[in-house]
Amino acid sequence: MFSRRAVIHGLLGAPLAAWINAAPAWAASDDVAGADMARFIAAMPKAEYHVHLEGTLEAEMKFALAQRNGLDLPFADVAAMKASYRYHDLPSFLAIYYDGMKVLRTQQDFYDLAYAYLAKAASQNILYAEIFFDPQEHLKRGVPMAAVIGGITRARAAAAAQLGIVSQLILCFVRDLSVESAMAALDAALPFRDQLVAVGLDSDEKDHPPVKFAAHFAKARAAGLKVTAHCDLNQKDIVEHLRQAIIDLRVDRIDHGGNILESPELIAAAKARNLYFTVCPTFSGTVRGDAPPIDVVRGMIDAGLNLTINSDDPAYMGSEYLNEVLVKAQAHSALTKAELVRLQRNAFNAGWMDEGLRAACHAKLDAFARAEGVAA
Ligand SMILES: [Zn+2]
């Protein structure tokens, strides 16, 4: 019902247009019920809150940007590059992720990257997105903050005007770099404060707890920004990290956070604050530890927590964007259509958007649910 086909022009046009307009995953399915569920998910109006812009840098675009910027890549072709995306934990994933973003050099590179994600999102009926970016990694390479935020901001405006998708931007601190590096990035970004909605915390959290960034969060809050933090699944000291984020720092949202299922006290605290969790089932869908594995999505729904489902770093996760992630999550966690609608209702409630847009998003979701005969 919100079928929008992106029109992409310019240097990166042809391969991007083919990728954005690729046949949906369910088209080849001969499973009638599965195809119906995938159709339902694709048509449902959606929002996304946990997607790293640099994690949407597809191999095809890396080659195009490397060529434009006169850089050599140590791969013969796209297939060889994609074959190198082998990781087994967060640090081994991050090594590939940070290496890949070295092709991003100019404002136009950030424009092309952001516009491509937003066009893909719009083609999947995502009405609204809040997007992470990691400026410290770009500042390290000598790319000015103005080029990073300027390119993304131009793309957000173009995508809103041309495709109708509204988006906002969340500056993430790379938690395994120094506190000085993070503060320098925040100071460099504050002149562009109107282009940001929040700060976040991502990357390798082993021995980098949320309280390391208390001063940064306080400064961001004083500038009127929201605060969110990754509490990635099954990391060292993860329940303590959740406690710091929820109790000590009183963050406005949690990214991942599935290990809260190990702490009835923190579940109660999160529910008392009506806290939202941006869950990404692709990377690791179960809480481990001593007890039998718990399905994060099902466990959090059953615990009465507010969660949304998101894609995280789709270019490094089999090019699975939100529709594909939702199809897998639905099957894995046996989600009903009513639960899928409720998850999107959560998503529209979770956003740091203006109330007029929120009401419009809810109205579209309500109309969709009525047309599908789903009471949610
Ligand atoms: Zn993430």
Side-chain angles (χ1 to χ4, degrees):
M1 63 198 308
F2 299 102
S3 182
R4 282 170 290 185
R5 293 266 155 163
V7 180
I8 308 282
H9 302 286
L11 177 70
L12 306 175
L16 269 183
W19 164 68
I20 288 165
N21 294 322
W26 50 268
S29 173
D30 55 6
D31 173 345
V32 173
D36 177 62
M37 189 60 89
R39 175 205 57 78
F40 180 89
I41 286 168
M44 184 168 55
K46 291 176 288 287
E48 177 150 61
Y49 300 102
H50 189 149
V51 59
H52 299 267
L53 184 61
E54 296 89 342
T56 70
L57 179 50
E58 291 283 344
E60 290 83 355
M61 183 179 277
K62 273 190 213 167
F63 272 95
L65 294 181
Q67 187 176 34
R68 184 159 80 187
N69 291 326
L71 302 168
D72 284 330
L73 293 174
F75 301 101
D77 53 31
V78 164
M81 178 181 284
K82 287 186 173 178
S84 76
Y85 294 171
R86 288 191 303 269
Y87 48 86
H88 56 277
D89 59 8
L90 187 54
S92 57
F93 165 77
L94 290 168
I96 297 166
Y97 169 75
Y98 288 126
D99 190 64
M101 64 178 77
K102 289 177 182 168
V103 296
L104 294 163
R105 298 294 168 111
T106 67
Q107 183 179 125
Q108 188 62 39
D109 297 343
F110 286 92
Y111 174 94
D112 288 333
L113 177 63
Y115 194 90
Y117 163 71
L118 289 165
K120 182 72 174 179
S123 79
Q124 295 203 342
N125 287 326
I126 294 176
L127 307 181
Y128 176 77
E130 291 173 7
I131 309 165
F132 297 131
F133 73 119
D134 288 325
Q136 283 159 276
E137 294 297 321
H138 310 306
L139 295 173
K140 274 200 306 195
R141 293 196 311 281
V143 183
M145 187 68 85
V148 179
I149 294 182
I152 299 170
T153 301
R154 268 202 305 125
R156 288 175 44 226
Q162 295 163 13
L163 306 171
I165 180 170
V166 177
S167 59
Q168 299 206 76
L169 195 53
I170 300 174
L171 182 157
C172 275
F173 300 121
V174 177
R175 66 201 301 163
D176 43 333
L177 297 179
S178 70
V179 289
E180 292 81 8
S181 162
M183 194 59 88
L186 179 59
D187 288 339
L190 283 178
F192 308 96
R193 185 255 166 272
D194 289 351
Q195 314 307 330
L196 305 173
V197 70
V199 296
L201 193 58
D202 66 7
S203 200
D204 190 358
E205 60 185 275
K206 186 182 177 197
D207 298 327
H208 300 286
V211 293
K212 175 180 171 184
F213 297 91
H216 307 68
F217 284 1
K219 191 169 191 174
R221 275 215 166 101
L225 297 169
K226 299 283 189 184
V227 169
T228 184
H230 276 54
C231 291
D232 214 329
L233 214 56
N234 301 320
Q235 302 298 303
K236 178 174 175 265
D237 303 326
I238 187 60
V239 175
E240 169 59 14
H241 287 191
L242 279 159
R243 194 197 64 73
Q244 291 179 10
I246 295 169
I247 307 289
D248 295 344
L249 301 175
R250 292 186 66 80
V251 298
D252 300 298
R253 209 157 67 198
I254 298 277
D255 303 309
H256 297 294
N259 293 85
I260 197 169
L261 295 173
E262 299 176 62
S263 170
E265 295 81 6
L266 289 178
I267 289 174
K271 288 166 75 170
R273 290 188 49 207
N274 201 28
L275 208 54
Y276 286 86
F277 293 76
T278 68
V279 172
C280 305
T282 313
F283 193 62
S284 175
T286 57
V287 170
R288 294 191 290 271
D290 298 335
I294 306 170
D295 172 345
V296 166
V297 171
R298 176 53 63 198
M300 292 178 84
I301 289 174
D302 289 351
L305 293 161
N306 291 322
L307 68 149
T308 74
I309 291 182
N310 307 269
S311 68
D312 212 355
D313 297 287
Y316 295 95
M317 297 171 173
S319 294
E320 292 181 344
Y321 287 75
L322 186 54
N323 282 353
E324 292 79 24
V325 168
L326 279 167
V327 165
K328 284 195 173 173
Q330 185 280 323
H332 182 76
S333 302
L335 300 171
T336 65
K337 287 182 176 177
E339 285 175 326
L340 288 166
V341 170
R342 280 202 291 276
L343 285 169
Q344 287 312 308
R345 210 180 299 293
N346 277 348
F348 291 136
N349 286 333
W352 295 317
M353 65 179 98
D354 73 57
E355 295 307 320
L357 177 60
R358 193 189 315 282
C361 289
H362 278 302
K364 286 178 178 172
L365 183 62
D366 290 344
F368 168 79
R370 270 197 308 277
E372 293 282 343
V374 175

